[in-house]
Amino acid sequence: MNAEREVWREALGVVLATSAYGISFGALAVASGLDVWQSCVLSLLMFTGGSQFAFVGVFAAGGVSALPSAIASAALLGVRNVAYGMRMSPIVGTTPARRIAAAHFTIDESTAVAISQGDPRLRQVGFWVTGIGIFVGWNATTLIGALLGDVLGDPKTWGLDAAAAAAFLALLWPRLKRRQAIAVGVAAAVVAAALTPFLMPGLPVLVAAVVAIIVGWVNWLGRDALVAPDDPEAQR
């Protein structure tokens, strides 16, 4: 019970941090030319923050004529959720209904909270609480941001642009205990940061994912780097 309570606390912390950033999206969506209800529908149906920001960013720059590019950018960023889906498939449940329902809630944060748990049951709790919680919170704050965008001003002045990233980093940090994991993270981050100024939104993330897979698969640091000396399970 204490372990499950801890998962709930962790998940709800991520929900609050990520949902707060929805205010920023609502404000930016309206500023880009969408009306309040178009902004809300985008959050309801697309529901992946990176893709939504990419969409409104390209749309704001080019208007209706840039709509195909906006859709392409959003789709490229959303491709990463396919990889998350493959990882989450054995976790969310075995019935087709559960997997279909889980598809809409498979995002960065729900995946991170789920895989950070050691027990299969707690992984399910982390996934569903985080996914559903963010869905409700994100859509609520999108509406608030769309309605109050002019009053709130620049969301960066409130620190909302860093809230989701900080929560995700907090989940990732405990997993960076071995040299191989650190190497994968550093390599992917460097590649994504270097390519961002030159490629359209979405592509740097995909290239970084490929780099992460290669570094992890090749295991340049050797088997000893993967096994912690005090981890008997990993040494078997």
Side-chain angles (χ1 to χ4, degrees), residues 10 13 21 27 64 72 77 80-81 95 97 155-156 169 183 194 200 232 236:
E10 181 178 304
Y21 199 17
V64 176
L77 276 172
R80 70 190 189 281
N81 289 352
T95 64
K156 293 182 179 180
L169 181 60
M200 67 183 299
R236 291 179 183 176

Side-chain angles (χ1 to χ4, degrees), residues 93-105:
T94 57
T95 64
R98 287 176 69 88
R99 291 185 176 180
I100 292 172
H104 201 53
F105 304 122

